[in-house]
Amino acid sequence: MSDDRMTSVRLGTDGPEVGVQGLGCMGMSFAYGPVDADASRATLDRALELGVTLYDTADAYGAGDNERFLAPFFEAHRDEVVIATKFALSIPADDPSKRIIRNDSPYIRQAVEASLKRLGVDEIDLYYMHRRDVNVPLEESVGTMAELVREGKVKHLGLSEVTADELRAAHAVHPIAAVQSEWSLFSRDIEAHVVPAARELGVGLVAYSPLGRGFLTGAFTDAGKELSTDDFRRAQPRFTGDNAAANAALLAPVRKVAEAHGVSLGQVALAWVQQQAAVRGLPVVPIPGTRKPSRITENVAATHLVLSEEELALLEPIAGRVAGDRYADMSFTSAGREDR
């Protein structure tokens, strides 16, 4: 392994070129308990030093707070970063387990203007539909997003948590640079349909929660007992109670591989996702989130870790044995609609 700057890859046929690992910025403002603005700013600076160019946020993260927090960093490094943000998902502050989804044209236009203002930019590099509202025709939503490209407000389009058929339908309206979905040693449902569709269309795959929201690093074993009351992982079924206990036992092979390489559990989990690019034949860019400079250094180092065929085989059964869904309500995920 090395701490050299990472290589880059292009998302989509004509999409943005980005480092092979990005940074998920949600936790710097939202969802994972108490925040530390100074540490987060230092993390952003360290990420850029190491070649991280894709920075992922959304208007839903802290009701716009995350976009506002990132704005000074983006302003200082506008020509060096690729800004990805999202619309469509609202999370009520009094109940983070709930989701309000909107994909209608007037809302999209309202959302993009608000994000542009909060981010302090004239154009968003990669604009995602965060979640799919099945009551709004996909052609209408993506058609409006395409208009934003023609108007110079957005450079490239992305979709998050869509099914394979939804991805194909959207791509027929306007080229999609990236589809963002959860993908990790614990979450592999997209491999059946979404990944093959993305490969077929030449769409990049941006993997969120590649560290299983920290569980794959061994940072916690039971969210209900160990994490603060404002941490939304306490509401995710696989991280509490009997499910958490069963899932913690699944880390044994991850630990074995980590010990063989002299690396952390998180680095093995990230290397597995990074290696799916070669295994599946499409661009894959994981976006692990962190608020610590030391962690960003550790995460980026994983881009240089290569797992053997034997190690990949050892890790293969894990996802099929995970207890509990990724969300209490799976209806707004691709897995919740894929076979309907």
Side-chain angles (χ1 to χ4, degrees), residues 4-218:
D4 294 338
R5 286 173 63 92
M6 71 180 75
T7 57
S8 61
V9 67
R10 187 170 299 281
L11 293 175
T13 305
D14 299 307
E17 185 172 338
V18 300
V20 293
Q21 186 183 113
L23 178 61
C25 300
M26 179 180 76
M28 294 180 177
S29 309
F30 169 75
Y32 292 133
V35 301
D36 185 331
D38 290 339
S40 293
R41 280 189 283 268
T43 299
L44 292 168
D45 291 337
R46 181 60 175 152
L48 193 62
E49 289 176 1
L50 294 172
V52 175
T53 56
L54 179 63
Y55 295 82
D56 185 88
T57 182
D59 60 3
Y61 299 161
D65 285 347
N66 197 233
E67 291 180 326
R68 294 186 192 94
F69 173 76
L70 293 169
F73 174 74
F74 291 154
E75 181 182 11
H77 303 285
R78 187 63 188 97
D79 295 337
E80 303 169 81
V81 301
V82 174
I83 301 172
T85 192
K86 315 177 194 74
F87 74 90
L89 178 61
S90 176
I91 303 174
D94 60 343
D95 189 351
S97 67
K98 289 185 177 180
R99 302 291 189 272
I100 299 170
I101 303 172
R102 288 187 62 180
N103 290 174
D104 57 282
S105 182
Y107 180 79
I108 294 172
R109 289 195 164 276
Q110 171 188 326
V112 74
E113 295 297 343
S115 284
L116 287 168
K117 183 176 181 180
R118 285 189 293 263
L119 291 165
V121 297
D122 297 323
E123 187 176 41
I124 294 166
D125 298 313
L126 179 56
Y127 199 44
Y128 288 101
M129 177 190 295
H130 204 163
R131 292 293 186 270
R132 168 91 168 98
D133 180 356
V134 296
N135 298 309
V136 178
L138 192 61
E139 293 75 12
E140 174 186 327
S141 303
V142 179
T144 300
M145 295 169 72
E147 291 173 1
L148 300 180
V149 174
R150 290 192 289 272
E151 293 165 11
K153 296 176 180 178
V154 171
K155 286 185 181 178
H156 306 288
L157 302 185
L159 304 169
S160 181
E161 288 287 359
V162 293
T163 67
D165 286 345
E166 289 166 347
L167 176 57
R168 291 189 181 95
H171 195 73
V173 176
H174 187 279
I176 301 299
V179 59
Q180 184 175 140
S181 292
E182 185 166 353
W183 201 6
S184 73
L185 284 169
F186 265 28
S187 300
R188 298 180 58 180
D189 50 76
I190 64 169
E191 293 173 17
H193 303 288
V194 177
V195 170
R199 181 176 62 243
E200 165 198 326
L201 298 170
V203 175
L205 202 298
V206 174
Y208 77 82
S209 297
L211 294 173
R213 302 194 185 278
F215 195 88
L216 283 165
T217 71

